[in-house]
Amino acid sequence: MAGATQVEDRITKAPAGPPEAPAEAPERVRGLGLLALVGRHPAFAVVLALGALLRGVTMLGYRPAMFFNDSFDYLHAAMDVYPHPLRPNGYSFLLLIFKPFHSFALVVAVQHLMGLAMGLMIYALLRRRFGLPGWGAALATVPVLLDAYQIQLEHLILSDAPFTFLIVSAITLVLWHARPSWQVAAGIGLLLGAASLTRTLGLPVLLVVVGYMVLRRVRWRIVALTLVSGVLPLIAYSGWFYSEHQVFNTTESNGIFLYARVYKFADCDKIKPPVDEIPFCVQAENRLPNSQDGIWNRRSPLRRFPEARFSSDQNARASSFSKRAITAQPGDYLQVVAHDFFRVFRWERTVFPDKDTYRQYEFEKEATPLPDWRMSNDATAAQEAMAYEQGNARTRVVEPFAGVMRTYQDHVYLRGTLLGFILLIALAGMLPLWRRFGGAALVPVLTAVGLLLAPAATAEFDYRYILPTVPLACLAAAMAFSPEIRGRVRGARRRRATDTEDTPAEPDPEPALR
């Protein structure tokens, strides 16, 4: 026992080891980690910080949010939940989620975070997946993070920012995972299903993604899971829509919007429509100036029908008439589509389609009063906005912050011609991989061009339809400078140079006989 006691005493009295370094505070560790992250990505950190600052100035200058004409339809479907006949309810569901907070400012703050997240996704893809240098990847995010009209669109109670975020998120997953797992495939499908319920153009993007997976020989189970995950939300929504409108669809407006497209040229002497479609006819001298007048103007032919606009009967007849017009006058149809498509690439941003619509995309000096339109539940649009906010919802212009954004918007935005140049770079970058259908850039390029072409083909040009294509176009253009593409271009040049050196010189021509 005594021996054991002595051993214990020696152990107790043994000299202690070197003192442990005191643990750093978690806040200090996080701060050092953030500084290290900024140090590794300085160019992008500057662009991201500027983007966040501009969005903060916007929120201070235009409180609580800004509104567009369509804002109040989305809001109405959130206040009185039902499947809206004009457009799917995806964005209304987002408003419904945030309804308990009674804050439009919170809604647009989330939309601004979506804008910043899109820049982050583009940068991460280009750096980690496609090997671009930091400055090059950061440059590709500038049109997304710093464009004044992009920031203004995020500040509107409107579906475009969430729609773009869902599309960019899905394509990020597609490009990040060359061989996606079943969890990733389900996520891609659900994101594109949600995008399709936000704007109907999400469905063609789903088909592009599925087609790309087939080309890449992804396992058929993964392809099928992506397709099913994307379609199931649409099927469920269509069932709800059927219970209300007796039509298995997501809207009752596709035919009416197509009528707006043919309204500019439809000639009933060439179309020869049946009797029940004759009210759609308009003589050339009586035609209103813009395609959208075929829907919204009080002199629209749609007013000649006894049923309400966007009813199933009116939509079906408008669709039938429009398809007859396109079939009978294909050249005129292609002409108006091409005119609106190439309008995207103009250098100057002109007032279109009218002054009232155009100014809703601008940071204004004075806020427009909330409209007093009567909604279906006997409340006005203004009353529903105030009920959602539980207070004054009218936009308040606060200086000097609003003035900063007005000046900024006058000078800093992506010109249409520059967008066209970006798309051309993206297309050129696909050429070295033509045997692989352009490689990974195929998805963002097809999606960007499709999002530009679809409104021109099915409705009418609008500036808000341009901005969702910008992140995809910038991503695809930057991918043209990836090490793989540069390596193929250098290899092709070396092969051409080698072929030239190996070719024997042609003999001098014989002297002419004298």
PDB file of all heavy atoms in Angstrom, residues 393-429:
ATOM      1  N   ALA A 393     -48.990  50.880 -47.411  1.00  0.00           N
ATOM      2  CA  ALA A 393     -48.146  50.097 -48.307  1.00  0.00           C
ATOM      3  C   ALA A 393     -47.628  50.910 -49.482  1.00  0.00           C
ATOM      4  O   ALA A 393     -46.795  50.417 -50.254  1.00  0.00           O
ATOM      5  CB  ALA A 393     -48.922  48.889 -48.829  1.00  0.00           C
ATOM      6  N   ARG A 394     -48.097  52.127 -49.653  1.00  0.00           N
ATOM      7  CA  ARG A 394     -47.650  52.927 -50.794  1.00  0.00           C
ATOM      8  C   ARG A 394     -46.146  53.183 -50.709  1.00  0.00           C
ATOM      9  O   ARG A 394     -45.607  53.453 -49.626  1.00  0.00           O
ATOM     10  CB  ARG A 394     -48.397  54.260 -50.830  1.00  0.00           C
ATOM     11  CG  ARG A 394     -47.954  55.167 -51.972  1.00  0.00           C
ATOM     12  CD  ARG A 394     -48.729  56.467 -52.011  1.00  0.00           C
ATOM     13  NE  ARG A 394     -48.193  57.361 -53.046  1.00  0.00           N
ATOM     14  CZ  ARG A 394     -48.709  58.551 -53.346  1.00  0.00           C
ATOM     15  NH1 ARG A 394     -49.793  58.988 -52.685  1.00  0.00           N
ATOM     16  NH2 ARG A 394     -48.170  59.288 -54.291  1.00  0.00           N
ATOM     17  N   THR A 395     -45.486  53.094 -51.837  1.00  0.00           N
ATOM     18  CA  THR A 395     -44.048  53.326 -51.872  1.00  0.00           C
ATOM     19  C   THR A 395     -43.714  54.738 -51.414  1.00  0.00           C
ATOM     20  O   THR A 395     -44.307  55.708 -51.879  1.00  0.00           O
ATOM     21  CB  THR A 395     -43.508  53.107 -53.300  1.00  0.00           C
ATOM     22  OG1 THR A 395     -43.886  51.803 -53.753  1.00  0.00           O
ATOM     23  CG2 THR A 395     -41.991  53.236 -53.327  1.00  0.00           C
ATOM     24  N   ARG A 396     -42.779  54.855 -50.495  1.00  0.00           N
ATOM     25  CA  ARG A 396     -42.311  56.149 -50.020  1.00  0.00           C
ATOM     26  C   ARG A 396     -40.901  56.381 -50.560  1.00  0.00           C
ATOM     27  O   ARG A 396     -40.006  55.546 -50.372  1.00  0.00           O
ATOM     28  CB  ARG A 396     -42.315  56.197 -48.484  1.00  0.00           C
ATOM     29  CG  ARG A 396     -43.689  55.973 -47.887  1.00  0.00           C
ATOM     30  CD  ARG A 396     -43.687  56.128 -46.373  1.00  0.00           C
ATOM     31  NE  ARG A 396     -42.850  55.161 -45.699  1.00  0.00           N
ATOM     32  CZ  ARG A 396     -43.191  53.902 -45.454  1.00  0.00           C
ATOM     33  NH1 ARG A 396     -44.385  53.458 -45.871  1.00  0.00           N
ATOM     34  NH2 ARG A 396     -42.384  53.083 -44.812  1.00  0.00           N
ATOM     35  N   VAL A 397     -40.715  57.490 -51.234  1.00  0.00           N
ATOM     36  CA  VAL A 397     -39.414  57.841 -51.810  1.00  0.00           C
ATOM     37  C   VAL A 397     -38.634  58.639 -50.775  1.00  0.00           C
ATOM     38  O   VAL A 397     -39.075  59.719 -50.346  1.00  0.00           O
ATOM     39  CB  VAL A 397     -39.596  58.652 -53.104  1.00  0.00           C
ATOM     40  CG1 VAL A 397     -38.241  59.027 -53.694  1.00  0.00           C
ATOM     41  CG2 VAL A 397     -40.424  57.858 -54.115  1.00  0.00           C
ATOM     42  N   VAL A 398     -37.512  58.114 -50.353  1.00  0.00           N
ATOM     43  CA  VAL A 398     -36.726  58.713 -49.264  1.00  0.00           C
ATOM     44  C   VAL A 398     -35.388  59.179 -49.830  1.00  0.00           C
ATOM     45  O   VAL A 398     -34.596  58.373 -50.346  1.00  0.00           O
ATOM     46  CB  VAL A 398     -36.507  57.698 -48.123  1.00  0.00           C
ATOM     47  CG1 VAL A 398     -35.715  58.349 -46.994  1.00  0.00           C
ATOM     48  CG2 VAL A 398     -37.848  57.172 -47.612  1.00  0.00           C
ATOM     49  N   GLU A 399     -35.154  60.459 -49.736  1.00  0.00           N
ATOM     50  CA  GLU A 399     -33.888  61.036 -50.191  1.00  0.00           C
ATOM     51  C   GLU A 399     -32.887  61.084 -49.028  1.00  0.00           C
ATOM     52  O   GLU A 399     -33.301  61.100 -47.867  1.00  0.00           O
ATOM     53  CB  GLU A 399     -34.131  62.453 -50.732  1.00  0.00           C
ATOM     54  CG  GLU A 399     -35.144  62.538 -51.856  1.00  0.00           C
ATOM     55  CD  GLU A 399     -34.706  61.844 -53.138  1.00  0.00           C
ATOM     56  OE1 GLU A 399     -33.522  61.424 -53.228  1.00  0.00           O
ATOM     57  OE2 GLU A 399     -35.537  61.706 -54.044  1.00  0.00           O
ATOM     58  N   PRO A 400     -31.597  61.050 -49.297  1.00  0.00           N
ATOM     59  CA  PRO A 400     -30.942  61.090 -50.619  1.00  0.00           C
ATOM     60  C   PRO A 400     -30.742  59.731 -51.257  1.00  0.00           C
ATOM     61  O   PRO A 400     -30.188  59.635 -52.344  1.00  0.00           O
ATOM     62  CB  PRO A 400     -29.590  61.723 -50.287  1.00  0.00           C
ATOM     63  CG  PRO A 400     -29.272  61.181 -48.917  1.00  0.00           C
ATOM     64  CD  PRO A 400     -30.606  61.115 -48.194  1.00  0.00           C
ATOM     65  N   PHE A 401     -31.213  58.663 -50.553  1.00  0.00           N
ATOM     66  CA  PHE A 401     -30.940  57.307 -51.039  1.00  0.00           C
ATOM     67  C   PHE A 401     -31.590  57.064 -52.405  1.00  0.00           C
ATOM     68  O   PHE A 401     -30.965  56.484 -53.299  1.00  0.00           O
ATOM     69  CB  PHE A 401     -31.444  56.289 -50.020  1.00  0.00           C
ATOM     70  CG  PHE A 401     -30.947  56.536 -48.621  1.00  0.00           C
ATOM     71  CD1 PHE A 401     -31.782  57.079 -47.653  1.00  0.00           C
ATOM     72  CD2 PHE A 401     -29.631  56.256 -48.287  1.00  0.00           C
ATOM     73  CE1 PHE A 401     -31.330  57.327 -46.373  1.00  0.00           C
ATOM     74  CE2 PHE A 401     -29.163  56.494 -47.009  1.00  0.00           C
ATOM     75  CZ  PHE A 401     -30.008  57.028 -46.050  1.00  0.00           C
ATOM     76  N   ALA A 402     -32.842  57.519 -52.555  1.00  0.00           N
ATOM     77  CA  ALA A 402     -33.525  57.328 -53.829  1.00  0.00           C
ATOM     78  C   ALA A 402     -32.797  58.058 -54.953  1.00  0.00           C
ATOM     79  O   ALA A 402     -32.673  57.548 -56.073  1.00  0.00           O
ATOM     80  CB  ALA A 402     -34.969  57.819 -53.717  1.00  0.00           C
ATOM     81  N   GLY A 403     -32.298  59.261 -54.667  1.00  0.00           N
ATOM     82  CA  GLY A 403     -31.576  60.016 -55.678  1.00  0.00           C
ATOM     83  C   GLY A 403     -30.305  59.317 -56.131  1.00  0.00           C
ATOM     84  O   GLY A 403     -29.920  59.387 -57.301  1.00  0.00           O
ATOM     85  N   VAL A 404     -29.629  58.643 -55.193  1.00  0.00           N
ATOM     86  CA  VAL A 404     -28.427  57.888 -55.548  1.00  0.00           C
ATOM     87  C   VAL A 404     -28.768  56.807 -56.570  1.00  0.00           C
ATOM     88  O   VAL A 404     -28.067  56.624 -57.577  1.00  0.00           O
ATOM     89  CB  VAL A 404     -27.799  57.268 -54.285  1.00  0.00           C
ATOM     90  CG1 VAL A 404     -26.689  56.281 -54.664  1.00  0.00           C
ATOM     91  CG2 VAL A 404     -27.256  58.353 -53.371  1.00  0.00           C
ATOM     92  N   MET A 405     -29.874  56.074 -56.337  1.00  0.00           N
ATOM     93  CA  MET A 405     -30.239  54.996 -57.245  1.00  0.00           C
ATOM     94  C   MET A 405     -30.755  55.530 -58.582  1.00  0.00           C
ATOM     95  O   MET A 405     -30.545  54.899 -59.625  1.00  0.00           O
ATOM     96  CB  MET A 405     -31.278  54.086 -56.596  1.00  0.00           C
ATOM     97  CG  MET A 405     -30.765  53.313 -55.388  1.00  0.00           C
ATOM     98  SD  MET A 405     -29.169  52.478 -55.683  1.00  0.00           S
ATOM     99  CE  MET A 405     -29.595  51.365 -57.021  1.00  0.00           C
ATOM    100  N   ARG A 406     -31.410  56.679 -58.582  1.00  0.00           N
ATOM    101  CA  ARG A 406     -31.847  57.249 -59.859  1.00  0.00           C
ATOM    102  C   ARG A 406     -30.639  57.617 -60.723  1.00  0.00           C
ATOM    103  O   ARG A 406     -30.609  57.320 -61.927  1.00  0.00           O
ATOM    104  CB  ARG A 406     -32.715  58.486 -59.617  1.00  0.00           C
ATOM    105  CG  ARG A 406     -34.105  58.185 -59.118  1.00  0.00           C
ATOM    106  CD  ARG A 406     -35.011  59.401 -59.273  1.00  0.00           C
ATOM    107  NE  ARG A 406     -34.508  60.564 -58.547  1.00  0.00           N
ATOM    108  CZ  ARG A 406     -34.780  60.834 -57.279  1.00  0.00           C
ATOM    109  NH1 ARG A 406     -35.548  60.004 -56.583  1.00  0.00           N
ATOM    110  NH2 ARG A 406     -34.306  61.918 -56.692  1.00  0.00           N
ATOM    111  N   THR A 407     -29.662  58.254 -60.113  1.00  0.00           N
ATOM    112  CA  THR A 407     -28.458  58.623 -60.852  1.00  0.00           C
ATOM    113  C   THR A 407     -27.705  57.383 -61.317  1.00  0.00           C
ATOM    114  O   THR A 407     -27.217  57.317 -62.457  1.00  0.00           O
ATOM    115  CB  THR A 407     -27.543  59.491 -59.966  1.00  0.00           C
ATOM    116  OG1 THR A 407     -28.268  60.644 -59.531  1.00  0.00           O
ATOM    117  CG2 THR A 407     -26.302  59.923 -60.725  1.00  0.00           C
ATOM    118  N   TYR A 408     -27.641  56.407 -60.456  1.00  0.00           N
ATOM    119  CA  TYR A 408     -26.951  55.163 -60.804  1.00  0.00           C
ATOM    120  C   TYR A 408     -27.633  54.479 -61.987  1.00  0.00           C
ATOM    121  O   TYR A 408     -26.966  53.999 -62.912  1.00  0.00           O
ATOM    122  CB  TYR A 408     -26.945  54.241 -59.579  1.00  0.00           C
ATOM    123  CG  TYR A 408     -26.173  52.957 -59.772  1.00  0.00           C
ATOM    124  CD1 TYR A 408     -24.790  52.927 -59.651  1.00  0.00           C
ATOM    125  CD2 TYR A 408     -26.841  51.772 -60.061  1.00  0.00           C
ATOM    126  CE1 TYR A 408     -24.081  51.754 -59.821  1.00  0.00           C
ATOM    127  CE2 TYR A 408     -26.144  50.584 -60.235  1.00  0.00           C
ATOM    128  CZ  TYR A 408     -24.765  50.574 -60.118  1.00  0.00           C
ATOM    129  OH  TYR A 408     -24.067  49.417 -60.294  1.00  0.00           O
ATOM    130  N   GLN A 409     -28.968  54.451 -61.968  1.00  0.00           N
ATOM    131  CA  GLN A 409     -29.699  53.789 -63.040  1.00  0.00           C
ATOM    132  C   GLN A 409     -29.532  54.499 -64.376  1.00  0.00           C
ATOM    133  O   GLN A 409     -29.621  53.872 -65.439  1.00  0.00           O
ATOM    134  CB  GLN A 409     -31.183  53.692 -62.678  1.00  0.00           C
ATOM    135  CG  GLN A 409     -31.982  52.784 -63.604  1.00  0.00           C
ATOM    136  CD  GLN A 409     -33.408  52.634 -63.137  1.00  0.00           C
ATOM    137  OE1 GLN A 409     -34.054  53.587 -62.721  1.00  0.00           O
ATOM    138  NE2 GLN A 409     -33.934  51.407 -63.203  1.00  0.00           N
ATOM    139  N   ASP A 410     -29.294  55.788 -64.350  1.00  0.00           N
ATOM    140  CA  ASP A 410     -29.081  56.530 -65.596  1.00  0.00           C
ATOM    141  C   ASP A 410     -27.811  56.087 -66.321  1.00  0.00           C
ATOM    142  O   ASP A 410     -27.700  56.286 -67.542  1.00  0.00           O
ATOM    143  CB  ASP A 410     -28.988  58.036 -65.315  1.00  0.00           C
ATOM    144  CG  ASP A 410     -30.326  58.635 -64.923  1.00  0.00           C
ATOM    145  OD1 ASP A 410     -31.368  58.021 -65.243  1.00  0.00           O
ATOM    146  OD2 ASP A 410     -30.331  59.715 -64.289  1.00  0.00           O
ATOM    147  N   HIS A 411     -26.870  55.498 -65.596  1.00  0.00           N
ATOM    148  CA  HIS A 411     -25.553  55.255 -66.192  1.00  0.00           C
ATOM    149  C   HIS A 411     -25.101  53.798 -66.150  1.00  0.00           C
ATOM    150  O   HIS A 411     -24.286  53.405 -67.006  1.00  0.00           O
ATOM    151  CB  HIS A 411     -24.501  56.116 -65.475  1.00  0.00           C
ATOM    152  CG  HIS A 411     -24.795  57.587 -65.525  1.00  0.00           C
ATOM    153  ND1 HIS A 411     -24.603  58.354 -66.654  1.00  0.00           N
ATOM    154  CD2 HIS A 411     -25.291  58.435 -64.572  1.00  0.00           C
ATOM    155  CE1 HIS A 411     -24.961  59.602 -66.408  1.00  0.00           C
ATOM    156  NE2 HIS A 411     -25.372  59.684 -65.150  1.00  0.00           N
ATOM    157  N   VAL A 412     -25.564  53.011 -65.203  1.00  0.00           N
ATOM    158  CA  VAL A 412     -24.997  51.674 -65.008  1.00  0.00           C
ATOM    159  C   VAL A 412     -26.064  50.613 -65.255  1.00  0.00           C
ATOM    160  O   VAL A 412     -26.877  50.312 -64.380  1.00  0.00           O
ATOM    161  CB  VAL A 412     -24.407  51.512 -63.592  1.00  0.00           C
ATOM    162  CG1 VAL A 412     -23.707  50.158 -63.476  1.00  0.00           C
ATOM    163  CG2 VAL A 412     -23.437  52.641 -63.275  1.00  0.00           C
ATOM    164  N   TYR A 413     -26.060  50.083 -66.448  1.00  0.00           N
ATOM    165  CA  TYR A 413     -26.924  48.959 -66.780  1.00  0.00           C
ATOM    166  C   TYR A 413     -26.381  48.287 -68.033  1.00  0.00           C
ATOM    167  O   TYR A 413     -25.585  48.876 -68.773  1.00  0.00           O
ATOM    168  CB  TYR A 413     -28.377  49.394 -66.988  1.00  0.00           C
ATOM    169  CG  TYR A 413     -28.606  50.364 -68.122  1.00  0.00           C
ATOM    170  CD1 TYR A 413     -28.935  49.915 -69.395  1.00  0.00           C
ATOM    171  CD2 TYR A 413     -28.498  51.733 -67.912  1.00  0.00           C
ATOM    172  CE1 TYR A 413     -29.152  50.803 -70.436  1.00  0.00           C
ATOM    173  CE2 TYR A 413     -28.719  52.628 -68.948  1.00  0.00           C
ATOM    174  CZ  TYR A 413     -29.039  52.164 -70.205  1.00  0.00           C
ATOM    175  OH  TYR A 413     -29.251  53.046 -71.233  1.00  0.00           O
ATOM    176  N   LEU A 414     -26.786  47.056 -68.256  1.00  0.00           N
ATOM    177  CA  LEU A 414     -26.288  46.285 -69.389  1.00  0.00           C
ATOM    178  C   LEU A 414     -27.040  46.684 -70.654  1.00  0.00           C
ATOM    179  O   LEU A 414     -28.248  46.474 -70.762  1.00  0.00           O
ATOM    180  CB  LEU A 414     -26.465  44.790 -69.127  1.00  0.00           C
ATOM    181  CG  LEU A 414     -25.928  43.854 -70.206  1.00  0.00           C
ATOM    182  CD1 LEU A 414     -24.404  43.948 -70.292  1.00  0.00           C
ATOM    183  CD2 LEU A 414     -26.354  42.420 -69.929  1.00  0.00           C
ATOM    184  N   ARG A 415     -26.327  47.240 -71.606  1.00  0.00           N
ATOM    185  CA  ARG A 415     -26.927  47.607 -72.887  1.00  0.00           C
ATOM    186  C   ARG A 415     -27.334  46.340 -73.650  1.00  0.00           C
ATOM    187  O   ARG A 415     -26.665  45.303 -73.569  1.00  0.00           O
ATOM    188  CB  ARG A 415     -25.935  48.402 -73.717  1.00  0.00           C
ATOM    189  CG  ARG A 415     -25.454  49.684 -73.058  1.00  0.00           C
ATOM    190  CD  ARG A 415     -26.408  50.808 -73.319  1.00  0.00           C
ATOM    191  NE  ARG A 415     -25.900  52.083 -72.800  1.00  0.00           N
ATOM    192  CZ  ARG A 415     -26.459  53.259 -73.071  1.00  0.00           C
ATOM    193  NH1 ARG A 415     -27.532  53.315 -73.843  1.00  0.00           N
ATOM    194  NH2 ARG A 415     -25.975  54.376 -72.560  1.00  0.00           N
ATOM    195  N   GLY A 416     -28.406  46.459 -74.437  1.00  0.00           N
ATOM    196  CA  GLY A 416     -28.855  45.311 -75.215  1.00  0.00           C
ATOM    197  C   GLY A 416     -27.805  44.818 -76.189  1.00  0.00           C
ATOM    198  O   GLY A 416     -27.642  43.602 -76.392  1.00  0.00           O
ATOM    199  N   THR A 417     -27.062  45.733 -76.791  1.00  0.00           N
ATOM    200  CA  THR A 417     -26.007  45.338 -77.726  1.00  0.00           C
ATOM    201  C   THR A 417     -24.929  44.531 -77.028  1.00  0.00           C
ATOM    202  O   THR A 417     -24.391  43.560 -77.588  1.00  0.00           O
ATOM    203  CB  THR A 417     -25.390  46.591 -78.373  1.00  0.00           C
ATOM    204  OG1 THR A 417     -26.434  47.411 -78.904  1.00  0.00           O
ATOM    205  CG2 THR A 417     -24.447  46.207 -79.500  1.00  0.00           C
ATOM    206  N   LEU A 418     -24.608  44.894 -75.788  1.00  0.00           N
ATOM    207  CA  LEU A 418     -23.607  44.141 -75.030  1.00  0.00           C
ATOM    208  C   LEU A 418     -24.120  42.746 -74.687  1.00  0.00           C
ATOM    209  O   LEU A 418     -23.345  41.776 -74.684  1.00  0.00           O
ATOM    210  CB  LEU A 418     -23.231  44.898 -73.760  1.00  0.00           C
ATOM    211  CG  LEU A 418     -22.513  46.245 -73.977  1.00  0.00           C
ATOM    212  CD1 LEU A 418     -22.216  46.902 -72.631  1.00  0.00           C
ATOM    213  CD2 LEU A 418     -21.245  46.060 -74.785  1.00  0.00           C
ATOM    214  N   LEU A 419     -25.417  42.632 -74.409  1.00  0.00           N
ATOM    215  CA  LEU A 419     -25.979  41.301 -74.169  1.00  0.00           C
ATOM    216  C   LEU A 419     -25.842  40.435 -75.418  1.00  0.00           C
ATOM    217  O   LEU A 419     -25.512  39.243 -75.323  1.00  0.00           O
ATOM    218  CB  LEU A 419     -27.449  41.425 -73.762  1.00  0.00           C
ATOM    219  CG  LEU A 419     -28.208  40.107 -73.568  1.00  0.00           C
ATOM    220  CD1 LEU A 419     -27.543  39.248 -72.491  1.00  0.00           C
ATOM    221  CD2 LEU A 419     -29.669  40.370 -73.210  1.00  0.00           C
ATOM    222  N   GLY A 420     -26.095  41.014 -76.587  1.00  0.00           N
ATOM    223  CA  GLY A 420     -25.903  40.269 -77.822  1.00  0.00           C
ATOM    224  C   GLY A 420     -24.464  39.828 -78.001  1.00  0.00           C
ATOM    225  O   GLY A 420     -24.189  38.690 -78.427  1.00  0.00           O
ATOM    226  N   PHE A 421     -23.523  40.701 -77.660  1.00  0.00           N
ATOM    227  CA  PHE A 421     -22.101  40.362 -77.752  1.00  0.00           C
ATOM    228  C   PHE A 421     -21.759  39.226 -76.795  1.00  0.00           C
ATOM    229  O   PHE A 421     -21.000  38.305 -77.138  1.00  0.00           O
ATOM    230  CB  PHE A 421     -21.275  41.604 -77.446  1.00  0.00           C
ATOM    231  CG  PHE A 421     -19.790  41.411 -77.582  1.00  0.00           C
ATOM    232  CD1 PHE A 421     -19.221  41.135 -78.810  1.00  0.00           C
ATOM    233  CD2 PHE A 421     -18.966  41.500 -76.471  1.00  0.00           C
ATOM    234  CE1 PHE A 421     -17.841  40.947 -78.930  1.00  0.00           C
ATOM    235  CE2 PHE A 421     -17.597  41.322 -76.581  1.00  0.00           C
ATOM    236  CZ  PHE A 421     -17.030  41.038 -77.825  1.00  0.00           C
ATOM    237  N   ILE A 422     -22.315  39.255 -75.603  1.00  0.00           N
ATOM    238  CA  ILE A 422     -22.077  38.186 -74.624  1.00  0.00           C
ATOM    239  C   ILE A 422     -22.593  36.848 -75.163  1.00  0.00           C
ATOM    240  O   ILE A 422     -21.926  35.808 -75.041  1.00  0.00           O
ATOM    241  CB  ILE A 422     -22.757  38.539 -73.287  1.00  0.00           C
ATOM    242  CG1 ILE A 422     -22.010  39.698 -72.610  1.00  0.00           C
ATOM    243  CG2 ILE A 422     -22.810  37.339 -72.355  1.00  0.00           C
ATOM    244  CD1 ILE A 422     -22.727  40.282 -71.415  1.00  0.00           C
ATOM    245  N   LEU A 423     -23.775  36.855 -75.768  1.00  0.00           N
ATOM    246  CA  LEU A 423     -24.321  35.621 -76.334  1.00  0.00           C
ATOM    247  C   LEU A 423     -23.461  35.106 -77.491  1.00  0.00           C
ATOM    248  O   LEU A 423     -23.280  33.892 -77.641  1.00  0.00           O
ATOM    249  CB  LEU A 423     -25.754  35.848 -76.801  1.00  0.00           C
ATOM    250  CG  LEU A 423     -26.811  35.929 -75.699  1.00  0.00           C
ATOM    251  CD1 LEU A 423     -28.150  36.360 -76.268  1.00  0.00           C
ATOM    252  CD2 LEU A 423     -26.954  34.578 -74.994  1.00  0.00           C
ATOM    253  N   LEU A 424     -22.924  36.005 -78.293  1.00  0.00           N
ATOM    254  CA  LEU A 424     -22.051  35.576 -79.391  1.00  0.00           C
ATOM    255  C   LEU A 424     -20.777  34.921 -78.856  1.00  0.00           C
ATOM    256  O   LEU A 424     -20.286  33.927 -79.417  1.00  0.00           O
ATOM    257  CB  LEU A 424     -21.707  36.774 -80.279  1.00  0.00           C
ATOM    258  CG  LEU A 424     -22.838  37.307 -81.164  1.00  0.00           C
ATOM    259  CD1 LEU A 424     -22.381  38.545 -81.921  1.00  0.00           C
ATOM    260  CD2 LEU A 424     -23.316  36.237 -82.143  1.00  0.00           C
ATOM    261  N   ILE A 425     -20.225  35.474 -77.780  1.00  0.00           N
ATOM    262  CA  ILE A 425     -19.047  34.847 -77.155  1.00  0.00           C
ATOM    263  C   ILE A 425     -19.397  33.443 -76.678  1.00  0.00           C
ATOM    264  O   ILE A 425     -18.624  32.490 -76.850  1.00  0.00           O
ATOM    265  CB  ILE A 425     -18.534  35.717 -75.994  1.00  0.00           C
ATOM    266  CG1 ILE A 425     -17.979  37.039 -76.514  1.00  0.00           C
ATOM    267  CG2 ILE A 425     -17.469  34.971 -75.194  1.00  0.00           C
ATOM    268  CD1 ILE A 425     -17.580  38.008 -75.414  1.00  0.00           C
ATOM    269  N   ALA A 426     -20.572  33.311 -76.057  1.00  0.00           N
ATOM    270  CA  ALA A 426     -20.994  31.994 -75.577  1.00  0.00           C
ATOM    271  C   ALA A 426     -21.117  30.998 -76.727  1.00  0.00           C
ATOM    272  O   ALA A 426     -20.681  29.839 -76.617  1.00  0.00           O
ATOM    273  CB  ALA A 426     -22.325  32.124 -74.838  1.00  0.00           C
ATOM    274  N   LEU A 427     -21.710  31.430 -77.826  1.00  0.00           N
ATOM    275  CA  LEU A 427     -21.856  30.542 -78.988  1.00  0.00           C
ATOM    276  C   LEU A 427     -20.488  30.182 -79.567  1.00  0.00           C
ATOM    277  O   LEU A 427     -20.250  29.019 -79.946  1.00  0.00           O
ATOM    278  CB  LEU A 427     -22.727  31.208 -80.043  1.00  0.00           C
ATOM    279  CG  LEU A 427     -24.211  31.373 -79.670  1.00  0.00           C
ATOM    280  CD1 LEU A 427     -24.915  32.254 -80.691  1.00  0.00           C
ATOM    281  CD2 LEU A 427     -24.896  30.012 -79.580  1.00  0.00           C
ATOM    282  N   ALA A 428     -19.587  31.150 -79.646  1.00  0.00           N
ATOM    283  CA  ALA A 428     -18.237  30.871 -80.154  1.00  0.00           C
ATOM    284  C   ALA A 428     -17.513  29.871 -79.263  1.00  0.00           C
ATOM    285  O   ALA A 428     -16.761  29.015 -79.750  1.00  0.00           O
ATOM    286  CB  ALA A 428     -17.442  32.176 -80.258  1.00  0.00           C
ATOM    287  N   GLY A 429     -17.734  29.962 -77.956  1.00  0.00           N
ATOM    288  CA  GLY A 429     -17.093  29.037 -77.040  1.00  0.00           C
ATOM    289  C   GLY A 429     -17.587  27.608 -77.173  1.00  0.00           C
ATOM    290  O   GLY A 429     -16.902  26.664 -76.759  1.00  0.00           O
TER     291      GLY A 429
END
